Amino acid sequence: MASNGVDEQIKLVEGPAGYVLEDVPHLSDYIHDLPTYPNPLQSNPAYSVVRQYFVDEDDTVQEKIVVHKDSPRGTHFRRAGPRQKVYFKPADVRACIVTCGGLCPGLNTVIREIVCGLHFMYGVTEVIGVDCGFRGFYSKNTVALTPKTVSDIHKRGGTILGTSRGGHDTSKIVDNIQDREINQVYIIGGDGTQKGASAIYKEIRRRGLKVAVAGIPKTIDNDIPVIDKSFGFDSAVEEAQRAINAAHVEATSVENGIGLVKLMGRYSGFIAMYATLASRDVDCCLIPESPFYLEGKGGLYEFIAKRLRENGHMVIVVAEGAGQDLVAESVEQQDASGNKLLKDVGLWMSLKIKEHFAKQSVLDITLKYIDPTYMIRAIPANASDNVYSTLLAQSAVHGAMAGYTGFVSGLVNGRHTYIPFNRITEKQNKVVITDRMWARMLSSTNQPSFMNPPKGTTVVSN
């Protein structure tokens, strides 16, 4: 029997020594007397050689692993993986997959491994793809997905299902899920998408439907909290090297050459920071989290002039969200996902730098501006991200088959876990400029911190 009320309370399990488990919902929380079935992996030849392939129900993963000897045990998440019992007969499963938001390397890998995981591990044969994001649910655009149709899609960039921003109508989406008799929903997208996934889960629960909702968090910017990193991030940093290398070649090929590269990072500067650290050719890295200023003592213009006199060339990397307070001149606008529409800080900076040095008439500079944003988004995942995307997808499949719902699969301290939706959507992950990683970056570029501007100087912060 199903319960009609939606329990908004977060599932917390407390134990000795300050142990807290932030658990994820389960179908049995609101549908009573659900039957269980032996996990088909028990007879799967691929798993027969594994000594312990089922996860113990008490296995959890600690959120923070650096502690003092007297620290409480702290917050934990449920460990991901296959369980001995499942809550769906494979023959009864009708699953769907949807991708939303911007492109990211690894999307097709996640799609492929959900399909293949359901098929080869659990014997599920009915999987459909929802076309072009959330609105595809109620415009009734779907495509049948089989291991054969997805066999080589991991070698392509983008998503074979198409994607879009916005279009979320919870009632219409759940109506369609109910009409199509779908009982597993896999939603791939960023924090806005996972907020939509949470709303879908709550409406499904309110209606008392036996439908598992699993999210796979996606953001190329690596700005989703709790998890170690997002899939596609490693590929993005690797591809960003090509743009930085090109900028370095351009800058070193002329006298007083400047290569300016704009990388992704709407609110978080992880790609710019890691690409800078990996390259070692970058002289200055600007990100949304770290304020900077252009003019005056210790400003960017002074540093550019200093570095050109020392080396004869310079490479600058700027994240797309940096410097928006200076660039913005009009009323703030948003896209369909609710993200702030950003001005082109790279183009703006290139013009400002050219104007400044033209007025100074001291250094005759040559500046080349490179924006590889859409080239990076569109590439296939590299080997590291292909493996990571595979494990995320398989973890989501194991969780849904075990009856968990209202969760995302994510890596926490090197272990795959199930994380409640609210922890993924409550805030954004950002570079901590008082952290050692930012200090490592500063020591790599030897740039000023821009933390102490002269009086009267406009400081750009976000």
Side-chain angles (χ1 to χ4, degrees):
M1 180 177 175
S3 171
N4 291 325
V6 178
D7 183 7
E8 299 292 346
Q9 296 295 317
I10 298 170
K11 288 181 67 176
L12 296 178
V13 179
E14 297 184 355
Y19 172 93
V20 177
L21 168 62
E22 290 196 17
D23 207 355
V24 296
H26 194 275
L27 293 173
S28 61
D29 293 342
Y30 64 96
I31 304 176
H32 307 307
D33 302 321
L34 278 174
T36 60
Y37 312 94
N39 194 318
L41 288 175
Q42 293 182 21
S43 56
N44 188 312
Y47 279 78
S48 62
V49 296
V50 181
R51 182 170 296 177
Q52 184 179 350
Y53 50 85
F54 291 132
V55 173
D56 191 281
E57 289 301 319
D58 291 331
D59 282 1
T60 59
V61 178
Q62 191 165 353
E63 181 178 15
K64 294 182 179 179
I65 57 173
V66 179
V67 296
H68 300 292
K69 62 180 182 180
D70 297 326
S71 298
R73 292 177 65 189
T75 301
H76 291 64
F77 300 107
R78 188 168 289 281
R79 185 183 175 191
R83 268 58 179 176
Q84 285 188 320
K85 299 291 185 181
V86 296
Y87 282 74
F88 293 92
K89 283 184 179 179
D92 295 339
V93 173
R94 184 171 171 80
C96 75
I97 306 170
V98 62
T99 54
C100 305
L103 296 183
C104 176
L107 279 169
N108 279 334
T109 305
V110 175
I111 295 168
R112 181 188 190 278
E113 297 310 321
I114 292 173
V115 175
C116 292
L118 283 168
H119 184 92
F120 293 117
M121 292 191 296
Y122 288 98
V124 173
T125 57
E126 267 199 283
V127 185
I128 60 173
V130 178
D131 191 26
C132 286
F134 280 134
R135 61 171 52 94
F137 275 104
Y138 48 86
S139 59
K140 303 190 185 301
N141 299 324
T142 62
V143 57
L145 299 175
T146 66
K148 184 175 181 179
T149 60
V150 302
S151 62
D152 63 352
I153 63 171
H154 62 293
K155 300 175 184 177
R156 304 181 225 163
T159 164
I160 62 163
L161 298 179
T163 185
S164 65
R165 298 187 184 276
H168 187 277
D169 187 315
T170 304
S171 182
K172 286 184 179 180
I173 291 171
V174 178
D175 285 346
N176 189 262
I177 289 170
Q178 198 167 359
D179 291 345
R180 291 179 177 273
E181 298 182 335
I182 292 168
N183 51 20
Q184 290 186 12
V185 182
Y186 297 92
I187 301 173
I188 311 167
D191 57 348
T193 299
Q194 300 308 329
K195 288 177 183 176
S198 179
I200 291 169
Y201 152 70
K202 289 176 181 177
E203 178 61 17
I204 284 172
R205 179 167 179 158
R206 188 189 69 79
R207 299 187 189 188
L209 305 177
K210 186 187 175 183
V211 179
V213 180
I216 296 91
K218 174 229 60 165
T219 167
I220 201 168
D221 293 346
N222 200 39
D223 59 0
I224 288 180
V226 181
I227 62 176
D228 293 355
K229 64 177 179 179
S230 51
F231 75 83
F233 176 71
D234 283 352
S235 302
V237 171
E238 184 176 305
E239 187 67 12
Q241 301 303 296
R242 295 165 61 89
I244 293 173
N245 291 342
H248 185 249
V249 169
E250 290 283 355
T252 56
S253 297
V254 295
E255 186 178 6
N256 295 325
I258 300 174
L260 176 61
V261 180
K262 185 183 79 171
L263 296 177
M264 287 159 293
R266 180 178 292 273
Y267 304 111
S268 304
F270 288 102
I271 291 178
M273 180 175 72
Y274 276 81
T276 294
L277 273 169
S279 169
R280 303 291 175 174
D281 287 331
V282 179
D283 298 280
C284 186
C285 175
L286 303 171
I287 63 172
E289 295 91 338
S290 182
F292 71 92
Y293 57 99
L294 300 177
E295 302 186 41
K297 185 173 178 57
L300 181 61
Y301 292 153
E302 182 184 81
F303 179 61
I304 292 173
K306 176 177 179 290
R307 189 53 57 92
L308 290 178
R309 291 191 181 98
E310 292 173 346
N311 298 338
H313 63 270
M314 184 176 188
V315 175
I316 303 170
V317 168
V318 58
E320 63 179 325
Q324 289 299 309
D325 288 358
L326 267 186
V327 185
E329 297 176 353
S330 59
V331 177
E332 184 177 305
Q333 296 177 307
Q334 295 181 334
D335 64 17
S337 294
N339 298 314
K340 181 171 66 175
L341 291 176
L342 303 179
K343 302 293 182 180
D344 191 335
V345 66
L347 182 59
W348 174 83
M349 280 190 64
S350 67
L351 295 174
K352 296 293 285 186
I353 292 170
K354 288 176 183 178
E355 288 175 3
H356 173 80
F357 285 97
K359 289 177 183 177
Q360 297 294 314
S361 301
V362 176
L363 291 172
D364 185 17
I365 69 165
T366 299
L367 187 148
K368 302 296 184 183
Y369 171 49
I370 299 174
D371 179 0
T373 299
Y374 293 105
M375 293 176 64
I376 293 173
R377 290 181 4 144
I379 64 169
N382 64 11
S384 172
D385 273 323
N386 265 330
V387 173
Y388 184 33
S389 299
T390 297
L391 297 179
L392 287 174
Q394 290 183 355
S395 293
V397 168
H398 291 315
M401 290 298 296
Y404 293 111
T405 182
F407 72 91
V408 299
S409 63
L411 194 70
V412 177
N413 294 320
R415 295 285 185 176
H416 286 268
T417 64
Y418 299 138
I419 306 167
F421 279 134
N422 67 288
R423 287 300 308 274
I424 293 297
T425 60
E426 65 186 1
K427 63 180 181 179
Q428 288 178 314
N429 188 32
K430 294 190 176 186
V431 174
V432 179
I433 61 172
T434 56
D435 189 59
R436 282 194 294 269
M437 186 57 76
W438 182 244
R440 294 183 185 110
M441 201 285 307
L442 291 177
S443 68
S444 170
T445 62
N446 291 311
Q447 70 187 65
S449 66
F450 303 111
M451 297 297 285
N452 298 302
K455 290 182 178 180
T457 303
T458 300
V459 180
V460 182
S461 62
N462 296 283

